[in-house]
Amino acid sequence: MKTNVLILVSALIARTAAIAATPDAPPPAVISFESQVTNPAGSQAPGDQYVFFGANAKPDEQEGDNPAMNLVNLRDFSVSAPIPDRGRLIPANPKSPECARVMAPGGASVTTGILWSHWGKDNDYADLATFRIVNPAVTSFAIWVLDSTLKLASNCNAAVAFRVNGGAPVAAHPTVQTASSNEFTKFTVTGASISDVFTVVVRNSSKGSFRSLAGLTFSVIPNPAMAGKKFPSICQEGWNDLNKNGRKDGYEDPAQPVEKRVENLLKQMTQEEKLGQLNQLVLGGESERDPDLFPLMRRGEVGSYIWGRGVPAIRNQFQRIAVQESRLGIPIVFGMDIIHGASTLFPASLGLSCSFDPGLFERAQTVAARETRAEGVEWVFAPMCDLARDPRWGRVVETCGEDPYLSSLCNAAQVKGFQGSNPAAPDRVAACLKHYVGYSAVTGGRDYNDAEITEWTLRNAHLPSFHAAVQAGALTIMSSFNSIGEIPAVADRHTLTEILRDEWKFGGFVVSDWSAVEYLIEWGYAKDKADAARLAINAGNDMDMRSEAYANLAKEVREGRVSQTTVDEAVRRVLRVKFQLGLFERPYVDELSYKSAQKQPQDLALARECVTKSAVLLKNTGILPLSQELKKVALIGPVGDDHREILGCWGGRCSWSETTLAKALKDALPKDATLTVVKGCSINTTPSMKTLQDGRIVPDDNALPIDVDLKLDDAVLAAKNSDVVIMAVGEPKGLTGENGSRAFLTLTGRQQALFDAVAATGKPVVTLVFSGRPLTLPEVWDKSAAVFYAWQPGSEAGNGLADLLVGKVAPSARLSMSVPRNVGQVPLFYNHVNTGRPRSGQYRDMTSTDAKFWFGYGLTYTTFEYSAVRIVPAANGKPAEAAVTISNTGKREGDEVPQLYIGQLVCHAGARPRQELRGFKHVKLQPGEKAAVSFPLTGEVLGYIDCAGNTRVDAGEYNIWIAPSAHQGTPMKFEFVR
Ligand code: NOJ
């Protein structure tokens, strides 16, 4: 079989080469194009055109499901890869990657590859390759498909066809002429436009299935309309002539201070160009084909794009229009949601914050910054500084938990990871703090809702994390969807200007959330887009994401409702960030080397470390770590062998993980142990229950029938035949994140029935919960022998969790969000106020209204004991300290996280929470080892923010805890004297 394939491949290479030498296909020329301003030599000769080419052959790997994202390097496709059931590209000559890369200047023909295809059914279509034009100069090209080789492969009949922009496969198309010969089908495409997506399709027109090979040859046909056209070169020695006037203007001079450059540029701008800088559009799919787009960019009326394709060549094409064809050449800033990784996915923030290790966030976001910037996105919409107080709200998964102190440290660390010390560096990006502010306080946990927040709560709960991240240097902030009291946040001058600018002196810019400016109309707060734009910019919202409302500001200024100073100040802020990002010096990204910045081995090692430090061990009767003597392990549940759910709610570039828990566990278990993997049921049977008008909950007719979805017999059999069961259950990632509010915090679909049946076998069950929020799982807590809360762990979920299960690494994570017993209790967070009747007012129909697991809780494979808290009085200029001695009383080395909580007993400015986290440490102790751990009791540790924004610390009595979690340990009274 192998020999046959080789023969076919060689035959095909020979044929393809022959085609490449046909008269209307001159030999490939040396390719040179402008990928960097710093490397423009000889670039873009008149009439040069090129296409990029890729395959949709690996829909689930690396590039995501979107075939348009696969317009990349064909070197990714390897001959030795297993035969897929779709077309697969093999470079025609693997030793000559340029052959596969396909960038052909005008008139050249390049043999691109050989398709290895497989059809399952009669008359089945297979998409062989998807490609599109990314150079606006190209409108025509030809492609040959060696259909004769299809017949060569077997005695079957196959026909090639062409699909344009996802339409039905056609043998001919208005823009596509087809000519067939014995050898090949040639498609000539004319009148194509940028972003048109072409797909070569092969149809099996014979009976039965077969496999085949086909070759593709490309030729770019010179476009007479473009003859002689040359993009102006802007590149000068050490600077870019962005306004193409042959002189080095102030704003073009990298040696000038940023503020001077901003002023110089601002002076040259028309009102339309200024408003253009405040206009952010969305690029991708249909919008890329918008005929108005290029003129808009040429006029300098687009300041930013939300863009997520991850293909630098496409991004550069758009940037080239803004930079080289607009009057002032102001680069566009490309922004995207990169929340917990781009190519390497780390645990989603709620999970990673359970590491109580801000340094880990910094390291993870350093990787994300490198991967992202290399792809041409220089601005990430992260970190999320919202507080997680209500698990019904789907976006808690994107937060760093319920505590303002922990959240502040984690978010400041993320800013450092993204921006580094120089955001202009080619591996750094600008951070965007979101959602400013109060988004997590939405009523009932319903996304996008109103939020009633007092000034006291705003100052002491919701704002600290934003403030810490601003102090860490964050360049941008996103205003939020919710209202704060009666005013929608995007139009709230108090938070956007009085606090952010006047108090905090924030110098970057504020971008609205998605259409939030326009949504002011829906709120009933603005009458039309002009009114909305006026309200938003006057409040301090600088850039408008997607509403296209700010163009109206020209008239608002003319008629005196908005001052020119307000507009100019907003433009200044946007330009400042663009200068700080180095965009005026390096508007383009390297199209060739970006792949090497992705998913390096050390990145995956870090992702694995993050998984081990995020999964919280909530229960362990002693079954963990798994014994080396185990012979039979069953892995049951829909996440056990899953490639997608484990990645998390913001999958970056990925929708498929290479490793699953099943695979990793197989590698980690003793060699002679067997692992039986049973899915049992799906994670989400869309949903299996529905709520009727009258509130009753009944089975949903649309759900998968129970006998189709639930395979209890297989699961029970596997459990009975095992020494231990590992259950991998949870909620689908699609029910978390934006618009992911839930009324029930249960396992989804039939997972509870699956769990109950497996637990009833009496075998010890270790449950791993995969979820973006705390779930209320009484049966799981009670009946499992051990429980790990795994959250949404990312690319290395399998390996990291296997490390924990077999004890290669001991768990060290602590809950950053309390786990309620029942959804009726939420919002429930540890740092609530004491109230006037702290022991009353609880739910009468619950025996305990405590959380099931409070903030800070988490076990490891050993045990620790804490001494009583000692207060060491202030002396010799040193502040007072609280100290404890911690002993490792177990049999293994372990990492303990002692936490300092304070509670002010009397505060006249307002009632403070009964306890607040103000410090934590990591202490590694050997069995029998003890360590003294202390925390200073300074004003900073004890203080709060009053309603005028002043930091205050009161003399008086405080409770002090040093404990393994909130609501554990005994407080010590301490008097703070000035
Ligand atoms: C809406 C989301 O709320 C926000 O978090 C995100 O950054 C923007 N869309 C852009 O995708």
Side-chain angles (χ1 to χ4, degrees):
M1 174 64 199
K2 206 172 168 194
T3 333
N4 284 348
V5 170
L6 283 177
I7 292 167
L8 286 175
V9 170
S10 338
L12 200 61
I13 290 171
R15 278 161 185 275
T16 317
I19 297 292
T22 52
D24 63 338
V30 176
I31 298 151
S32 147
F33 66 99
E34 190 172 66
S35 66
Q36 296 269 339
V37 172
T38 49
N39 178 27
S43 63
Q44 209 80 35
D48 271 10
Q49 300 149 14
Y50 54 88
V51 291
F52 266 70
F53 175 77
N56 62 350
K58 290 168 97 182
D60 284 331
E61 292 165 45
Q62 291 195 8
E63 306 299 332
D65 285 333
N66 182 351
M69 283 192 178
N70 290 332
L71 303 167
V72 289
N73 190 342
L74 304 189
R75 279 178 291 182
D76 291 346
F77 302 93
S78 103
V79 183
S80 59
I83 299 164
D85 35 5
R86 307 292 276 180
R88 173 156 296 204
L89 263 157
I90 303 163
N93 177 357
K95 291 216 173 104
S96 165
E98 280 315 314
C99 161
R101 196 181 281 280
V102 191
M103 282 171 290
S109 166
V110 174
T111 301
T112 59
I114 297 165
L115 290 159
W116 174 246
S117 339
H118 172 227
W119 293 268
K121 288 186 255 137
D122 303 348
N123 281 320
D124 196 15
Y125 282 106
D127 290 357
L128 292 190
T130 299
F131 57 95
R132 54 180 241 161
I133 300 172
V134 294
N135 185 341
V138 173
T139 55
S140 310
F141 63 92
I143 175 169
W144 288 261
V145 181
L146 283 159
D147 52 341
S148 61
T149 58
L150 300 166
K151 290 161 201 158
L152 190 147
S154 74
N155 250 349
C156 299
N157 284 321
V160 278
F162 222 68
R163 201 198 285 282
V164 183
N165 292 331
V170 284
H173 183 268
T175 62
V176 180
Q177 286 90 51
T178 315
S180 286
S181 78
N182 266 349
E183 293 275 301
F184 56 85
T185 301
K186 176 185 174 189
F187 298 99
T188 309
V189 179
T190 50
S193 60
I194 189 166
S195 301
D196 275 346
V197 176
F198 301 94
T199 310
V200 178
V201 177
V202 178
R203 188 165 64 87
N204 170 8
S205 50
S206 60
K207 284 261 165 255
S209 66
F210 70 97
R211 293 181 185 139
S212 183
L213 296 170
L216 294 181
T217 299
F218 261 85
S219 166
V220 178
I221 299 165
N223 174 4
M226 295 301 295
K229 181 163 164 57
K230 192 172 161 61
F231 284 122
S233 176
I234 54 163
C235 191
Q236 303 293 334
E237 191 65 42
W239 62 282
N240 291 318
D241 186 12
L242 295 157
N243 59 5
K244 298 128 215 113
N245 65 358
R247 281 197 320 271
K248 194 197 279 183
D249 286 61
Y251 81 98
E252 294 165 339
D253 182 359
Q256 299 269 338
V258 165
E259 293 309 315
K260 278 202 156 166
R261 299 179 76 181
V262 169
E263 291 312 317
N264 177 275
L265 178 52
L266 194 68
K267 263 197 271 155
Q268 303 190 35
M269 295 169 79
T270 63
Q271 184 74 310
E272 285 66 33
E273 285 164 341
K274 287 178 181 175
L275 297 178
Q277 287 306 305
L278 309 182
N279 181 28
Q280 183 184 54
L281 299 180
V282 182
L283 194 60
E286 276 308 301
S287 71
E288 285 178 21
R289 286 187 276 279
D290 182 346
D292 295 336
L293 208 59
F294 294 169
L296 211 62
M297 283 189 283
R298 285 190 187 108
R299 294 199 303 269
E301 292 177 19
V302 185
S304 173
Y305 276 120
I306 299 186
W307 178 81
R309 271 202 204 285
V311 185
I314 299 177
R315 179 257 190 215
N316 282 351
Q317 291 302 329
F318 285 92
Q319 185 72 298
R320 193 165 277 122
I321 295 168
V323 169
Q324 284 169 273
E325 298 192 49
S326 80
R327 194 176 73 91
L328 295 171
I330 304 174
I332 285 169
V333 58
F334 292 83
M336 188 55 201
D337 292 280
I338 298 296
I339 311 298
H340 54 101
S343 296
T344 309
L345 292 182
F346 298 96
S349 309
L350 186 58
L352 197 51
S353 61
C354 292
S355 66
F356 275 56
D357 184 351
L360 208 50
F361 267 108
E362 181 173 346
R363 288 162 66 201
Q365 300 301 28
T366 301
V367 172
R370 187 224 306 135
E371 291 182 343
T372 305
R373 184 99 191 218
E375 290 185 338
V377 170
E378 49 274 339
W379 180 25
V380 295
F381 303 138
M384 205 221 237
C385 299
D386 299 300
L387 272 197
R389 291 187 150 189
D390 187 335
R392 291 170 300 181
W393 188 55
R395 303 200 76 168
V396 293
V397 65
E398 301 169 64
T399 73
C400 293
E402 73 193 35
D403 179 71
Y405 175 79
L406 178 63
S407 171
S408 298
L409 294 179
C410 293
N411 285 312
Q414 292 192 66
V415 171
K416 288 188 197 138
F418 284 130
Q419 297 188 175
S421 55
N422 175 20
D427 54 358
R428 298 292 180 174
V429 292
C432 181
L433 314 179
K434 66 189 190 183
H435 305 82
Y436 192 76
V437 56
Y439 187 27
S440 62
V442 284
T443 304
R446 293 186 291 277
D447 211 357
Y448 314 122
N449 252 260
D450 61 314
E452 294 288 339
I453 310 172
T454 63
E455 191 68 20
W456 180 249
T457 308
L458 191 68
R459 296 280 188 179
N460 288 287
H462 296 280
L463 285 174
S465 183
F466 285 94
H467 195 193
V470 164
Q471 286 174 324
L475 292 177
T476 75
I477 292 190
M478 187 185 293
S479 57
S480 52
F481 281 133
N482 57 285
S483 64
I484 309 166
E486 71 281 19
I487 302 180
V490 66
D492 185 42
R493 194 173 162 78
H494 176 52
T495 49
L496 289 174
T497 295
E498 290 168 9
I499 294 179
L500 191 58
R501 308 287 180 186
D502 303 347
E503 289 181 23
W504 297 356
K505 313 290 177 220
F506 174 66
F509 70 84
V510 177
V511 61
S512 75
D513 203 340
W514 184 276
S515 291
V517 173
E518 186 177 5
Y519 294 161
L520 287 173
I521 305 169
E522 207 67 47
W523 275 106
Y525 193 67
K527 77 172 181 301
D528 52 25
K529 276 200 186 183
D531 200 24
R534 172 184 66 82
L535 287 161
I537 198 160
N538 280 343
N541 188 88
D542 305 306
M543 186 183 275
D544 166 19
M545 182 189 287
R546 197 182 168 271
S547 307
E548 298 182 56
Y550 273 21
N552 294 293
L553 290 175
K555 185 160 179 257
E556 295 300 298
V557 172
R558 274 199 307 278
E559 296 178 2
R561 288 181 290 274
V562 172
S563 75
Q564 187 62 48
T565 315
T566 301
V567 170
D568 285 356
E569 192 47 38
V571 177
R572 256 187 211 109
R573 292 168 184 156
V574 171
L575 294 177
R576 187 177 294 139
V577 170
K578 289 187 174 186
F579 281 113
Q580 286 167 329
L581 279 169
L583 281 173
F584 287 77
E585 281 64 64
R586 279 187 309 109
Y588 304 119
V589 282
D590 186 345
E591 296 175 10
L592 300 183
S593 65
Y594 74 105
K595 280 253 154 180
S596 62
Q598 315 294 317
K599 250 195 205 168
Q600 297 171 351
Q602 71 273 18
D603 305 335
L604 290 172
L606 176 61
R608 183 171 184 161
E609 180 186 341
C610 289
V611 176
T612 62
K613 291 184 169 168
S614 305
V616 188
L617 182 62
L618 293 178
K619 179 177 179 184
N620 188 10
T621 55
I623 185 97
L624 291 180
L626 295 175
S627 155
Q628 286 296 304
E629 309 303 314
L630 283 177
K631 292 283 171 286
K632 289 178 290 174
V633 179
L635 174 60
I636 301 176
V639 196
D641 201 17
D642 151 88
H643 290 264
R644 291 175 192 276
E645 292 297 335
I646 49 176
L647 292 179
C649 58
W650 284 107
R653 297 269 157 272
C654 319
S655 60
W656 185 260
S657 76
E658 282 94 27
T659 316
T660 67
L661 180 59
K663 186 175 173 307
L665 208 52
K666 202 155 183 41
D667 295 343
L669 287 172
K671 287 281 159 286
D672 57 345
T674 57
L675 179 72
T676 309
V677 183
V678 177
K679 185 174 174 192
C681 66
S682 59
I683 194 164
N684 185 15
T685 56
T686 49
S688 56
M689 305 299 277
K690 67 177 175 191
T691 309
L692 299 179
Q693 286 289 61
D694 61 7
R696 272 179 306 139
I697 300 162
V698 297
D700 184 349
D701 307 334
N702 292 325
L704 271 183
I706 194 155
D707 55 331
V708 176
D709 183 42
L710 188 61
K711 302 279 185 240
L712 278 189
D713 292 351
D714 298 353
V716 167
L717 187 68
K720 281 187 176 157
N721 285 334
S722 69
D723 304 325
V724 63
V725 180
I726 296 171
M727 289 219 66
V729 292
E731 64 172 352
K733 63 185 168 77
L735 287 193
T736 69
E738 189 180 347
N739 207 8
S741 300
R742 291 188 65 192
F744 301 100
L745 304 177
T746 51
L747 295 175
T748 49
R750 270 81 182 215
Q751 294 182 89
Q752 189 62 54
L754 182 70
F755 177 86
D756 293 342
V758 170
T761 63
K763 292 290 175 163
V765 175
V766 175
T767 308
L768 306 183
V769 183
F770 296 83
S771 168
R773 52 160 66 81
L775 297 177
T776 54
L777 306 174
E779 301 297 325
V780 171
W781 314 141
D782 282 358
K783 295 194 178 141
S784 303
V787 180
F788 260 116
Y789 218 89
W791 306 106
Q792 294 179 342
S795 305
E796 282 295 297
N799 289 323
L801 291 169
D803 288 345
L804 290 170
L805 289 170
V806 301
K808 198 167 152 196
V809 181
S812 58
R814 302 291 184 268
L815 287 175
S816 61
M817 186 172 184
S818 302
V819 179
R821 288 169 197 272
N822 189 287
V823 69
Q825 293 175 283
V826 305
L828 184 73
F829 40 89
Y830 87 92
N831 43 0
H832 53 86
V833 287
N834 215 28
T835 81
R837 300 186 75 177
R839 279 159 297 279
S840 306
Q842 307 295 335
Y843 299 105
R844 299 293 292 267
D845 45 5
M846 288 184 79
T847 46
S848 168
T849 47
D850 253 1
K852 175 66 190 173
F853 303 106
W854 282 112
F855 175 87
Y857 184 77
L859 303 169
T860 182
Y861 294 152
T862 187
T863 48
F864 297 97
E865 249 175 45
Y866 283 59
S867 70
V869 177
R870 300 183 297 277
I871 303 291
V872 185
N876 306 327
K878 272 184 70 187
E881 282 187 344
V884 287
T885 302
I886 302 175
S887 326
N888 181 344
T889 50
K891 294 199 176 63
R892 287 181 56 124
E893 180 193 80
D895 189 2
E896 175 63 349
V897 187
Q899 299 151 37
L900 171 76
Y901 295 92
I902 61 119
Q904 185 175 353
L905 297 189
V906 179
C907 178
H908 290 137
R912 292 185 69 181
R914 70 177 283 277
Q915 61 176 165
E916 295 171 71
L917 181 75
R918 288 301 160 93
F920 57 83
K921 291 192 170 161
H922 286 260
V923 187
K924 200 179 267 316
L925 292 176
Q926 297 303 320
E929 202 185 346
K930 290 179 184 196
V933 175
S934 60
F935 296 91
L937 298 174
T938 57
E940 200 186 334
V941 166
L942 301 171
Y944 61 93
I945 320 275
D946 68 16
C947 289
N950 305 306
T951 303
R952 286 175 55 166
V953 51
D954 298 340
E957 280 192 324
Y958 292 80
N959 272 333
I960 305 292
W961 294 257
I962 300 178
S965 76
H967 287 227
Q968 270 183 292
T970 313
M972 183 60 74
K973 255 199 204 104
F974 158 75
E975 183 158 2
F976 181 69
V977 192
R978 282 183 189 282

